Amino acid sequence: MDSEIKEEIPVHEEFVLCGGVETQVLKCGPWDDLFNDQNVNRPKLLIFIIPGNPGFSSFYVPFAKALYSLTNRCFPVWTISHAGHALAPKDTKILTTSEDANAQEIKDIYGLHGQIEHKLAFLRTHVPKEIKLMLIGHSIGSYIALQILKRAPELPVIHTFLLFPTIERMAESPNGRIATPFLCWFRYALYVTGYLLLKPCPEKIKSLIIRMGLQVMNLKTEFLQTNILQPFCLANAAYLGGQEMMQVVKRDDEIIKEHLSKLTFYYGATDRWCPKKYYEDIKKDFPEGDIRLCEKKIPHAFILHFSQEIADMVANWLKDNLFKI
């Protein structure tokens, strides 16, 4: 029955120009334009999901739909792709606003700081100032969410949920020690290999490979993610990953302290990107904070098989903050 309900939930796909780059936005709920929808049913809150890396927003659709359903379909749930991680299909219209058209291009938009500015540009141009925000960051999306709080204190963010947050010592983590050499030292070899193998491959073959891979992994997606095998997108994901290893080092305790009352951290007990020790350290430094450790052995990439479980938890936490609207 639950799966039938989620199937009925509308999800609208858009490609918008943001910071000079086409950007995929998946909008869960009947609201696709918060500026022009002035009727009585206009929502007072937007739930905004910032993905991990790679930022393939289509993988977050089951999570977004579950969250939308669990909050009684009262609030839109939007997921944004990272800049350069999604290419619009041929003949797809790229939507623009006057602010987008006149905005300056973001410097190094595919890098970590450029991705932060990319999300800020979207929120400033596509979300009315009077609509409250709840941010949900996953993995490096948690780092980006914290930076949004730091760089744009004027945004009406009432709470931020940081899921499996990679906000410090990424290169020192178990996975980071493995990934750093490839992402930082050998990334050009990865680029060349990816282009040589994937660029000549016909789109139909890529789609077939992706469908077969999703079937083997027992995954369903409403939006076929052909970007998984696009050399341009993979190169940008690798570039972002390399910058994460080099730049996400010291935890930003200043911003955490300033916004602690509206932060919820959720760490994985077996997470090799942000290990249990990171949870213990931040819990020790901020004992009064809402900092939780997963007791269900849910993996870092929860969106693959545990969207419902995480949505259940986030919905419960979210309901505790609705009085702030």
Side-chain angles (χ1 to χ4, degrees):
M1 180 70 176
D2 185 56
S3 62
E4 292 179 3
I5 291 175
K6 281 183 284 187
E7 284 298 323
E8 299 170 1
I9 294 173
V11 179
H12 177 68
E13 180 186 37
E14 285 183 357
F15 280 87
V16 302
L17 189 69
C18 184
V21 174
E22 60 188 64
T23 302
Q24 184 189 43
V25 183
L26 296 178
K27 301 181 175 183
C28 192
W31 308 277
D32 55 22
D33 187 341
L34 295 178
F35 280 99
N36 293 325
D37 187 0
Q38 300 291 342
N39 62 38
V40 293
N41 294 320
R42 182 183 181 184
K44 297 180 180 180
L45 172 73
L46 169 65
I47 301 170
F48 190 67
I49 300 172
I50 306 171
N53 183 19
F56 299 143
S57 51
S58 65
F59 283 120
Y60 289 81
V61 169
F63 173 63
K65 292 176 76 171
L67 196 55
Y68 176 72
S69 180
L70 288 164
T71 52
N72 299 320
R73 307 188 180 204
C74 293
F75 311 111
V77 182
W78 291 4
T79 308
I80 188 171
S81 70
H82 291 315
H85 290 211
L87 293 175
K90 187 178 179 181
D91 299 325
T92 298
K93 183 180 180 181
I94 309 298
L95 304 178
T96 61
T97 67
S98 57
E99 290 85 354
D100 290 324
N102 297 324
Q104 291 184 341
E105 290 189 3
I106 296 170
K107 183 180 179 181
D108 191 23
I109 194 169
Y110 304 130
L112 181 55
H113 290 288
Q115 296 288 2
I116 297 165
E117 292 299 323
H118 172 257
K119 309 305 175 291
L120 283 171
F122 179 86
L123 291 172
R124 286 168 172 158
T125 57
H126 292 269
V127 183
K129 294 179 180 179
E130 63 272 17
I131 290 184
K132 301 290 194 298
L133 293 168
M134 278 195 179
L135 305 180
I136 299 176
H138 172 223
S139 192
I140 195 61
S142 298
Y143 179 89
I144 293 173
L146 285 177
Q147 290 298 311
I148 287 174
L149 296 178
K150 184 175 186 176
R151 299 186 189 191
E154 75 279 3
L155 290 178
V157 179
I158 63 174
H159 206 83
T160 300
F161 302 96
L162 309 174
L163 307 177
F164 305 93
T166 52
I167 57 174
E168 60 173 311
R169 294 176 283 176
M170 284 194 68
E172 296 178 26
S173 69
N175 278 357
R177 288 195 292 269
I178 297 171
T180 297
F182 292 98
L183 295 173
C184 297
W185 305 337
F186 306 128
R187 64 186 177 95
Y188 290 107
L190 292 175
Y191 294 170
V192 172
T193 303
Y195 272 93
L196 289 176
L197 291 177
L198 298 174
K199 193 65 176 178
C201 186
E203 293 300 318
K204 289 185 178 180
I205 300 298
K206 289 180 185 177
S207 297
L208 178 61
I209 293 172
I210 292 169
R211 290 183 190 278
M212 291 174 62
L214 293 174
Q215 188 173 11
V216 169
M217 297 172 66
N218 194 28
L219 296 174
K220 294 181 179 180
T221 176
E222 292 181 36
F223 304 92
L224 183 61
Q225 190 55 272
T226 55
N227 297 300
I228 295 172
L229 295 181
Q230 291 290 354
F232 175 76
C233 299
L234 293 177
N236 288 329
Y239 177 62
L240 174 59
Q243 291 207 348
E244 291 172 33
M245 299 306 121
M246 293 184 289
Q247 296 179 21
V248 182
V249 180
K250 188 177 184 299
R251 191 179 67 210
D252 193 335
D253 287 350
E254 182 179 337
I255 195 66
I256 292 173
K257 182 178 179 180
E258 181 180 349
H259 296 278
L260 189 61
S261 63
K262 55 181 181 182
L263 295 175
T264 296
F265 296 83
Y266 189 73
Y267 283 83
T270 59
D271 194 338
R272 292 175 59 84
W273 282 113
C274 38
K276 188 177 178 181
K277 176 173 172 37
Y278 293 9
Y279 158 79
E280 294 169 346
D281 290 346
I282 193 173
K283 187 72 173 175
K284 179 181 177 182
D285 293 338
F286 297 97
E288 70 279 21
D290 186 8
I291 304 168
R292 308 171 187 232
L293 183 68
C294 177
E295 299 177 351
K296 302 179 181 180
K297 295 184 178 180
I298 295 175
H300 184 86
F302 74 89
I303 52 171
L304 297 182
H305 296 290
F306 294 91
S307 291
Q308 184 66 50
E309 289 83 350
I310 296 296
D312 287 337
M313 287 187 291
V314 173
N316 286 329
W317 305 336
L318 190 150
K319 289 172 183 176
D320 294 335
N321 290 277
L322 291 182
F323 70 92
K324 300 176 185 177
I325 299 178

